[in-house]
């Protein structure tokens, strides 16, 4: 497969799309862990939900 | 499970956790197949290899509008039904939509450099997408300006709906403005007469990217629900300490 | 009806009084327009060509600047809560407030246009075209801007957030306002087409603006 004279533009656009989507995925994943960690810390410090269920339970 | 059950965040969370891995796998497969087909697609006789940029540009451009549509439905849910998940859905969608819009702009510019000889052409479609991007950023600024989530949700819902009403008007005026200033200098894609060799990879990519959005959106909604849980627990902690 | 008339009268009086700040918009308009030649250079033919665009941009920014006052002062002294709770439909009250705001802050911009047109070397036809398009277009700016003002007052955030929210929505008005003035000055297009679209935009904003602003006030103030 040859991309001709415009190869750099095609490759750059695909790479950029991949990079931004990876960033989104990483951001969402890190955020998820962060929120779970904060919930666990809060529970460990003795705060409980009104329903009595554990906050990290899903 | 009915729609009403989904209104319960805990039920929604358990459903999301069960569904997400499957969605992620399906997205990955579709995007890989689409990428393979896009790589194998023949070159266009006019655009050469740059036509391959279209396989990522068009799905992102489609999603930039689709996400605003999703947010508008969520906004109705916020204002009319006060649905607890609608706020969460609207907030989670905004950054993802902004990212897709940004990608549509950048891939459009990268396509334009070899085709038009310039990264930025004040082409009607590029310009409308740019305005859409500005509106996404404004919406995100609105979400960030207020710390009370339900208050921010109602304001953002109104802005989203006003934006949805305005977007066709903006599109129309930009089209009009564009034809006034530079008549028909822009090369157009084939439209519905697109050959199957291009159409099939494009469709696979479009479906793949839409699934990607659904996956990311559900995951971001789950984060948002957890964030609100953290917030309410922190408030309880603060009030316990005060008492 | 008398309630609305009273509201309009009151708002205009407050805006024109000391501390009202409606006339600062005109001063801002004047300053922005005077700044332009310093950026572009004192090239009269170029200024003639850019004149309508400069005047429109100045008017857009000036009307944006004064929008902040539309609900803030009433929110601060509590009269906004009375208006929201009052028997007059909130949509009509919002429309009346926007009308009063336009009379106090928008109309002076149009009055100032001929003077500024002279400085930008616009002839009588061009100046009157710009003034006419401003007359048709600035109500749309006020009525769409009112949505942003209502959102900003419920969020206790004004200024830059308001500008960021409102400016993208005002792009169509800017496009057709400038296009209609250019059409009247240099052609080749008929003046009527963009001008009627500009009027249509104003009419649409008369409907959408009050409803969205009223919804935002109802949902936002608690």
């Amino acid at each position: 497969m040859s991309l001709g004279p415009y190869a750099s533009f095609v490759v750059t656009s695909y790479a950029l799309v991949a990079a931004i989507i990876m960033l989104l995925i990483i951001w969402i994943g890190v955020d998820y862990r962060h929120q779970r960690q904060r919930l666990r810390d809060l529970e460990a410090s003795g705060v409980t939900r009104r329903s009595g269920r554990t906050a990290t339970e899903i | 499970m009915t729609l009403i059950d989904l209104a319960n965040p805990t039920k929604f969370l358990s459903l999301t956790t069960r569904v997400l891995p499957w969605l992620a796998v399906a997205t990955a497969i579709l995007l890989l197949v689409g990428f393979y087909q896009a790589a194998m697609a023949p070159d266009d006789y006019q655009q050469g290899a740059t036509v391959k940029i279209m396989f990522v540009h068009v799905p992102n451009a489609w999603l930039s509008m689709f996400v605003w549509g999703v947010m508008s439905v969520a906004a109705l849910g916020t204002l009319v039904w006060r649905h607890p998940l609608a706020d969460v859905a609207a907030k989670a969608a905004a950054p993802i939509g902004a990212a897709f819009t940004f990608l549509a702009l950048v891939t459009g510019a990268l396509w334009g450099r070899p085709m038009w000889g310039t990264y930025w052409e004040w082409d009607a479609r590029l310009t409308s997408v740019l305005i859409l991007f500005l509106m996404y950023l404004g919406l995100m600024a609105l979400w960030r300006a207020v710390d009370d989530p339900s208050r921010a949700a109602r304001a953002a819902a109104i802005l989203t709906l006003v934006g949805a009403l305005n977007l066709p008007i903006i599109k129309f005026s930009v089209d009009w403005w564009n034809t006034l200033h530079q008549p028909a200098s822009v090369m157009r894609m084939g439209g519905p007469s697109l050959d199957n060799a291009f159409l099939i990879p494009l469709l696979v990519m479009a479906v793949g990217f839409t699934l990607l959005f659904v996956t990311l959106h559900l995951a971001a909604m789950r984060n948002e629900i957890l964030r609100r849980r953290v917030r309410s627990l922190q408030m309880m902690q603060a009030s316990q300490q005060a008492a | 009806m008398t309630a609305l008339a009273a509201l309009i009268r009151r708002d205009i009086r407050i805006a024109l009084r000391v501390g009202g700040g409606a006339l600062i918009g005109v001063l801002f308009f004047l300053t922005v327009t005077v700044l332009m030649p310093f950026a572009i250079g004192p090239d009269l033919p170029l200024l003639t060509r850019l004149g309508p665009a400069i005047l429109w941009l100045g008017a857009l920014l000036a009307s944006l600047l004064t929008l902040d006052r539309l609900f803030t002062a009433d929110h601060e002294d509590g009269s906004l809560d009375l208006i929201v709770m009052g028997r007059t439909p909130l949509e009509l009250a919002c429309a009346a407030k926007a009308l009063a705001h336009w009379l106090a802050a928008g109309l002076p911009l149009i009055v100032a246009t001929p003077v500024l047109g002279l400085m930008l070397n616009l002839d009588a036809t061009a100046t009157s075209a710009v003034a006419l398009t401003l007359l048709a277009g600035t109500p749309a700016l006020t009525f769409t801007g009112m949505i942003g003002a209502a959102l900003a007052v419920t969020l206790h955030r004004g200024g830059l957030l308001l500008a960021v929210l409102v400016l993208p929505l005002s792009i169509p008005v800017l496009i057709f306002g400038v296009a209609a003035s250019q059409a009247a000055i240099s052609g080749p297009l008929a003046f009527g087409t963009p001008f009627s679209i500009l009027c249509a935009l104003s009419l649409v904003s008369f409907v959408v603006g009050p409803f969205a602003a009223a919804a935002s006030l109802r949902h936002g103030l608690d």
Side-chain angles (χ1 to χ4, degrees), chain A residues 4-54:
Chain A
Y6 305 129
S8 57
F9 293 104
V10 179
V11 172
T12 314
S13 51
Y14 274 81
L16 210 74
V17 170
I20 299 268
I21 288 172
M22 280 318 287
L23 269 182
L24 265 182
I25 293 173
I26 291 170
W27 168 61
I28 290 174
V30 168
D31 193 25
Y32 181 60
R33 293 210 176 160
H34 182 61
Q35 301 305 334
R36 296 272 302 225
Q37 186 58 46
R38 280 169 80 189
L39 279 177
R40 255 185 304 234
D41 289 350
L42 278 167
E43 287 223 310
S45 70
V47 198
T48 46
R49 297 173 68 202
R50 265 174 300 226
S51 60
R53 278 181 297 207
T54 57

Side-chain angles (χ1 to χ4, degrees), chain B residues 79 82 131 134-135 138 141-142 145-146 151 154-155 158-159 162-163 165-166 169-170 172-174 176-177 180, chain C residues 147 151 154-157 161 164-165 168-169 171-172 175-176 179 189 194 197 201 208 212 215-216 219-220 222:
Chain B
L79 292 178
R82 299 276 169 108
I131 297 169
L134 290 181
M135 288 173 61
L142 182 62
V146 196
R151 188 184 272 266
R154 280 169 283 170
I158 289 169
L159 186 68
V162 171
L165 275 179
N166 249 284
I169 300 180
I170 291 176
F172 160 74
S173 34
V174 170
W176 194 90
W177 165 79
L180 185 71
Chain C
I147 305 170
L151 287 175
T154 55
L155 301 175
H156 311 294
R157 296 281 190 291
L161 181 68
V164 166
L165 299 184
L169 300 179
I171 288 171
I175 288 177
F176 287 105
L189 223 71
I197 298 176
L201 287 176
V208 176
S216 148
H219 283 284
D222 20 42

Side-chain angles (χ1 to χ4, degrees), chain B residues 96-181:
Chain B
I96 306 177
F100 284 129
T101 314
F102 174 73
L103 282 177
L105 277 177
V106 175
T107 51
L110 281 169
W111 180 81
R113 178 71 185 121
M115 287 299 107
W116 297 334
T118 163
Y119 282 108
W120 187 262
E121 178 85 25
W122 285 95
D123 165 56
R125 279 172 300 175
L126 272 179
T127 311
S128 329
V129 175
L130 178 64
I131 297 169
L132 182 63
F133 183 57
L134 290 181
M135 288 173 61
Y136 270 113
L137 293 187
L139 195 61
M140 283 164 69
L142 182 62
W143 276 110
R144 291 187 61 91
V146 196
D147 58 350
D148 176 6
S150 67
R151 188 184 272 266
R154 280 169 283 170
I158 289 169
L159 186 68
T160 310
L161 288 179
V162 171
L165 275 179
N166 249 284
L167 279 172
I169 300 180
I170 291 176
K171 180 83 179 74
F172 160 74
S173 34
V174 170
D175 277 343
W176 194 90
W177 165 79
N178 189 254
T179 49
L180 185 71
H181 286 272

